[in-house]
Amino acid sequence: MSWAPLEGFFREVGRFGQVFWRVLAWTPRRPYDVRELFRQMVRVGVDSLPVVVLTAMFTGMVMALQTFSVLARFGAERYVGSLVSLSMVRELAAVLSGLVIAGRAGSAMGAELGTMRVTEQIDALEVMATNPVHYLVVPRVWASTIMLPLLVLLADGLGIYGGYLVAVVLMDANPVAHMDNTFRFMEISDLTSGLIKAAVFGMLIAVIGCQQGLHTRGGAEGVGRSTTRSVVIASVAILISDFFLTKMLF
C-alpha cells in the first residue's frame, strides 16, 4: 500500500498552516502597503463582478423556475420567494461565489507567484531583505477576505431579483405576496452567516493560491501544476469547510 497520497495531504496541510501563520504574524508589521491592498481588492473583487453577477442572477432564476412548478402542486407557489432568498443568503451565494473566485483569482495568484518563484524574483526579494510573505501574500489574503463578503452581498440581491423576475414576470405570481414572503422568514443571522462563510472562503482561496505559488518547482510545467492545484485544492477546501461552518453557524 502506497502512503504517498497521505504524505502529500499532510504536506499540503502543513504548508497551508505555515503560510497562514506567517500571514497573521506579518500583518501588523510596518510598512503597510495600502496601495497594493487596494490593487488586489480591485483584481479580486471588481474584475470578478461580471462572472459573479451572471452566476448569482441565473442561479436565482433557475431556483425559482425549478421550485415554482413543484410548489404549485401543493398550492404553495407563494413561498417561492422564501425558498430562493433563504437558499441564496445562507448557502448558494457564498459557495458559488467562492468557487468562481477560486477558479479566477485563486488560479491567478498561484500562476503569478509560481512564475515569480521559477524566475527567481522571490529569491531576489529575499536577497534584498524583503519578506515575500509580507510583500506578496499579506495584501492578497486580506484583499480576498474583504472582497468575498461584498461580492456575496451583491450575489444575494441579484439571486433574489432573478427569482423575482421568473416568479412574477414569467410565472405571473402576485408581486406583493412574492416580495412579502421573500423576507418574511429571513433573519439577520441568515445573512450574517453567509457573509462569515464568504470571508473564510476568501482567506482559504488566497492562502492556498499563494502557498501553491510560493512552493512552485519545475519551470513552466511547475507553474501549470501550481495553477491547477490552486483551483482544485481551494474548491475542495470550500466544500469541506462549508459543511463544518454550516454545522457551527446554524
Side-chain angles (χ1 to χ4, degrees):
M1 178 179 175
S2 174
W3 295 96
L6 201 58
E7 290 176 6
F9 171 77
F10 284 114
R11 183 171 58 248
E12 293 298 336
V13 171
R15 286 176 174 174
F16 174 87
Q18 186 184 40
V19 172
F20 181 64
W21 171 250
R22 292 173 71 190
V23 168
L24 295 181
W26 278 97
T27 295
R29 301 189 189 184
R30 293 176 183 274
Y32 306 123
D33 195 346
V34 179
R35 179 177 296 182
E36 177 63 12
L37 175 65
F38 278 104
R39 196 174 76 87
Q40 294 300 329
M41 287 171 69
V42 170
R43 293 181 64 183
V44 173
V46 179
D47 293 350
S48 302
L49 273 177
V51 68
V52 171
V53 166
L54 284 175
T55 302
M57 177 76 84
F58 280 95
T59 299
M61 293 171 72
V62 169
M63 281 284 296
L65 208 55
Q66 289 278 13
T67 56
F68 193 95
S69 58
V70 174
L71 292 177
R73 299 174 189 175
F74 311 101
E77 63 270 23
R78 62 184 179 280
Y79 294 115
V80 168
S82 305
L83 205 153
V84 172
S85 61
L86 288 174
S87 301
M88 290 301 298
V89 300
R90 292 178 66 148
E91 189 67 35
L92 292 177
V95 172
L96 293 178
S97 299
L99 293 175
V100 166
I101 299 302
R104 191 188 174 282
S107 61
M109 291 177 196
E112 189 176 14
L113 269 61
T115 303
M116 294 180 71
R117 171 60 76 187
V118 299
T119 55
E120 300 183 349
Q121 295 179 58
I122 292 178
D123 298 327
L125 285 174
E126 292 171 340
V127 169
M128 292 187 295
T130 300
N131 187 287
V133 171
H134 190 208
Y135 184 68
L136 298 171
V137 180
V138 168
R140 285 169 172 77
V141 169
W142 290 114
S144 297
T145 306
I146 294 169
M147 291 310 295
L148 249 293
L150 298 179
L151 287 172
V152 167
L153 201 57
L154 177 67
D156 288 339
L158 288 170
I160 291 171
Y161 181 63
Y164 175 88
L165 285 180
V166 169
V168 174
V169 178
L170 196 63
M171 300 293 190
D172 290 328
N174 186 302
V176 176
H178 179 87
M179 290 307 298
D180 182 48
N181 284 313
T182 294
F183 300 105
R184 173 180 293 181
F185 303 106
M186 190 186 300
E187 298 177 358
I188 192 68
S189 60
D190 296 319
L191 183 65
T192 55
S193 61
L195 300 181
I196 291 170
K197 284 184 180 182
V200 175
F201 295 162
M203 181 167 284
L204 286 173
I205 291 166
V207 172
I208 290 169
C210 293
Q211 173 242 316
Q212 291 297 318
L214 288 175
H215 292 92
T216 298
R217 297 287 185 275
E221 188 180 344
V223 174
R225 281 198 300 271
S226 294
T227 306
T228 305
R229 289 165 66 87
S230 299
V231 178
V232 173
I233 296 175
S235 300
V236 172
I238 287 172
L239 296 175
I240 293 174
S241 62
D242 181 48
F243 170 80
F244 292 103
L245 287 169
T246 303
K247 185 72 176 172
M248 285 189 294
L249 294 170
F250 298 104

